[in-house]
Amino acid sequence: MALPPEFSSELFQKGLEVRRAVLGAHYVDKSVNEVEDFMKPMQRMTTEWCWGEIWTRSGLDRKTRSMINVAMLTALNRPAEVALHIRGALNNGVSAEEIQEVLLQACIYCGVPAALDSFKIANEVVKSARAEAVNS
């Protein structure tokens, strides 16, 4: 499927490559290919700025960026993004034990309710990923 013309910039393509590697091609391709007109500017901005501009910087590796994102999304109490970025963290080599440590750190600095929600999400995502690994 051809991408909309709004998604043709070099920065978008660069971001798309990283986004697919971290979050999985199926999820990202569905988000990009099935985007509604109203959401196109947000999809473009997210892919270019977050993934093309920030995630490609050399100052931090992907594993570190993933751990930071899990902590920040826990602080913001954004469960859907927590689940997505825990899967991305696993894809970037963050272990379940490291995710646990990030969430414990977030618990102290962000509050128990936010960390508890993220612990529950992480538990489900890690179980799912382990089941998929066994079945593949």
Side-chain angles (χ1 to χ4, degrees):
M1 174 181 267
L3 291 176
E6 297 94 323
F7 299 166
S8 63
S9 76
E10 184 178 328
L11 190 57
F12 187 91
Q13 294 305 313
K14 186 176 166 182
L16 194 59
E17 182 180 325
V18 175
R19 202 172 159 202
R20 282 179 174 141
V22 174
L23 302 178
H26 177 75
Y27 169 82
V28 174
D29 291 345
K30 185 175 187 322
S31 295
V32 172
N33 292 328
E34 296 178 13
V35 67
E36 295 178 20
D37 286 342
F38 182 82
M39 295 297 295
K40 282 180 184 177
M42 186 64 183
Q43 190 68 240
R44 191 185 94 235
M45 188 169 62
T46 301
T47 303
E48 288 180 351
W49 294 4
C50 292
W51 298 98
E53 188 67 38
I54 298 303
W55 275 81
T56 59
R57 293 178 57 85
S58 62
L60 296 172
D61 61 21
R62 289 183 185 174
K63 181 177 178 178
T64 302
R65 288 186 192 281
S66 283
M67 290 190 288
I68 291 169
N69 278 7
V70 169
M72 290 188 297
L73 293 167
T74 295
L76 292 170
N77 200 17
R78 297 292 186 254
E81 289 292 314
V82 168
L84 182 64
H85 280 275
I86 287 173
R87 175 65 68 156
L90 293 168
N91 291 341
N92 282 334
V94 181
S95 69
E97 293 76 19
E98 289 169 320
I99 290 169
Q100 182 181 52
E101 290 300 322
V102 167
L103 295 177
L104 287 169
Q105 185 84 8
C107 177
I108 298 306
Y109 287 92
C110 302
V112 173
L116 184 57
D117 284 348
S118 289
F119 253 99
K120 290 175 183 176
I121 293 164
N123 187 51
E124 292 305 311
V125 174
V126 168
K127 285 192 313 189
S128 175
R130 287 179 176 160
E132 289 171 12
V134 169
N135 294 327
S136 61

